[in-house]
Amino acid sequence: MWRLLPLFLAGAACAPPPASLPSAAIALNRRGVEALEAGRLDDADARFRLALEYHGRFAEPRANLGVVMLRRGDLTRAEQHLRAAVQLNPEFDEAWSNLGVVLVGQGDLDGAVDAFERALALDPGLVDARRNLADLWMRTGRWREARAQLYRLVQLVRAEAPVGRRSRALLAYCELRLERPSAARVLAEDILGHHPEDPVARTVRGALHVQAGRSHSALQDLAAAEADPVVGFDARVRLASVRLSMGDLAVSARRIRALLAEAPDHDAVRLLAAWQAAGESRWSDAVRHARAVLERADVPAGRRVLALACSEADLCD
């Protein structure tokens, strides 16, 4: 299931303009950038539009109007302005990057990937475009592609900077999802040695605790990551799974109900619901949830819970 992530705007653009532009247009664009950065969207809007009245083919205020619209939540007009900007200047890397943000918001993931990749082809050091692309690959389960982008990203930013730490933590998470536990452990432990509350690194360590059978330690780490916008859903799924494996059916039931409300068609959630129902001898529910998973993929755990339910109740053909 696609879940919108916190995307990063490249921000207002104020690139060195061509000498032929009216000085008033240049000044108005610069003042619009100042208003936009201060959160005064009406002032920014008016200044960018005035700049365009002076020169209608001035790409920077056109792109900046797209950022204003994006911050207002008007994705349709944001896309129109940003597409106009890259038509005026196809080498406008920040406009391509922000267009990618708009397209993600509209659910056009292929278009967003293309926009982020165009931005990076123009400027490989554009950090916001690269981390947005990495997050997009993670959200769609493309772990190898995400790992490749994150490895490049950590070369571009200082390790001690927030974006550097976050990138290394997400890299550890990719290693975990690619079943490279040793690499995941090294990265996570290094981060937690300096930042013991980092939610992504704690998710990684919590998952490794689960693999090692350390359920109580896993619960502590995973609980610290529940609210994270990227790994929080995974942490909540893992928490429900640990509670279920410990036989704490009352707590796991509450967690699984919440997950079903949040992501009713997610295979991992439906599989947990099947095992929860089996633990409570609700065999028809166990069959229903297991079959929903197996219709999409041949998951061994789904086959096992379906076989168990079928053996306990006369519900299967």
Side-chain angles (χ1 to χ4, degrees), residues 101-281:
V101 175
V102 172
L103 294 174
V104 170
Q106 293 176 327
D108 182 1
L109 306 190
D110 291 338
V113 168
D114 179 68
F116 292 139
E117 288 181 341
R118 283 175 182 263
L120 292 171
L122 293 164
D123 181 2
L126 199 58
V127 168
D128 293 321
R130 196 169 294 280
R131 62 179 172 173
N132 282 336
L133 182 57
D135 280 353
L136 186 56
W137 289 140
M138 290 178 65
R139 288 292 189 174
T140 53
R142 302 278 292 272
W143 304 109
R144 292 190 185 280
E145 289 89 340
R147 179 179 181 269
Q149 293 300 328
L150 289 165
Y151 256 114
R152 296 172 201 175
L153 188 56
V154 299
Q155 314 307 316
L156 295 170
V157 294
R158 292 181 297 110
E160 63 273 17
V163 65
R165 184 176 80 243
R166 179 75 172 178
S167 299
R168 288 163 57 238
L170 291 172
L171 182 56
Y173 184 73
C174 284
E175 299 285 26
L176 175 73
R177 297 303 297 259
L178 288 167
E179 298 182 0
R180 294 164 51 92
S182 297
R185 182 179 297 105
V186 169
L187 283 164
E189 287 180 351
D190 180 62
I191 294 163
L192 292 169
H194 298 90
H195 302 279
E197 298 306 315
D198 184 274
V200 180
R202 290 196 71 174
T203 298
V204 173
R205 188 172 67 182
L208 294 173
H209 281 318
V210 172
Q211 293 177 12
R214 296 187 293 268
S215 297
H216 290 287
S217 297
L219 290 174
Q220 293 178 1
D221 275 332
L222 294 169
E226 285 193 78
D228 185 83
V230 174
V231 300
F233 179 75
D234 186 26
R236 294 191 292 277
V237 170
R238 293 177 189 272
L239 279 165
S241 178
V242 172
R243 288 293 187 184
L244 186 57
S245 69
M246 294 171 68
D248 195 347
L249 296 183
V251 174
S252 63
R254 288 197 299 273
R255 285 195 166 276
I256 292 168
R257 282 196 299 271
L259 288 167
L260 284 169
E262 182 179 1
D265 296 321
H266 195 283
D267 284 348
V269 174
R270 294 296 292 269
L271 191 57
L272 283 174
W275 283 107
Q276 177 76 34
E280 296 172 345
S281 299

Side-chain angles (χ1 to χ4, degrees), residues 7 14 33 47 50 82 89 94 114 123 132 155 163 181 210 216 240 247 257 288 292 298 304 316:
L7 293 164
C14 196
V33 169
R47 291 170 185 177
L50 277 169
L82 288 162
N89 181 4
E94 291 183 349
D114 179 68
D123 181 2
N132 282 336
Q155 314 307 316
V163 65
V210 172
H216 290 287
R257 282 196 299 271
R288 176 170 55 86
D298 184 16
R304 287 198 299 272
C316 307

Side-chain angles (χ1 to χ4, degrees), residues 54-74:
Y54 276 97
H55 196 293
R57 295 184 62 79
F58 190 0
E60 281 79 2
R62 180 64 67 190
N64 290 335
L65 272 174
V67 177
V68 170
M69 295 302 163
L70 183 53
R71 292 190 175 172
R72 285 174 171 165
D74 189 341

